Amino acid sequence: MHELSLCQALIDQVTNIAREHGASRVDRIRLKVGPLAGVEPMLLQQAYPLAATGTLAEDAELVIEPAEIRVQCNLCGAETEARPNRLLCGACGAFQTRLVSGDELLLENLELTIPD
């Protein structure tokens, strides 16, 4: 389960950010995960408590928001939504598209407790 190693890397990143800001704890972590990221959000949620134990983020809420799949057409230039198995232009139907979003795993936001 590579989600555990992803959570461990996430906790390292979050802990570093929290320390840079003098935080005493992390309250909420918000991630954006695309369907093409190769990550199963449910497994990420299950692995999180194991990775966070004993860290500043131990009691933090992990919020995972889905990202939509978007492509840009190389023929007509339109940017449209697409499905995982059909990365076609929604405007002209062309298959010559470039993925704009949908494969990301982004740390979008942190909520920290910073003592006075």
Side-chain angles (χ1 to χ4, degrees):
M1 168 166 85
H2 77 284
E3 281 78 1
L4 180 57
S5 62
L6 289 173
C7 279
Q8 290 167 329
L10 172 67
I11 293 300
D12 288 344
Q13 182 181 14
V14 165
T15 301
N16 288 336
I17 293 169
R19 287 190 179 127
E20 287 173 11
H21 289 87
S24 59
R25 63 179 268 166
V26 178
D27 298 311
R28 180 175 292 147
I29 301 168
R30 194 168 77 225
L31 299 178
K32 184 168 266 192
V33 179
L36 302 176
V39 176
E40 185 60 48
M42 184 178 70
L43 294 177
L44 203 60
Q45 284 281 7
Q46 290 174 351
Y48 176 77
L50 296 171
T53 300
T55 70
L56 292 175
E58 183 170 18
D59 296 321
E61 175 188 10
L62 178 63
V63 178
I64 301 174
E65 296 179 353
E68 65 180 18
I69 298 172
R70 297 196 62 79
V71 295
Q72 183 168 23
C73 183
N74 294 333
L75 298 181
C76 75
E79 184 178 305
T80 59
E81 232 179 287
R83 293 187 312 222
N85 58 346
R86 295 189 50 88
L87 302 178
L88 302 175
C89 175
C92 73
F95 66 88
Q96 297 93 340
T97 60
R98 178 181 65 81
L99 189 64
V100 175
S101 70
D103 63 346
E104 62 269 38
L105 173 60
L106 296 174
L107 174 57
E108 198 165 59
N109 189 1
L110 286 179
E111 291 181 22
L112 307 172
T113 296
I114 299 174
D116 292 333

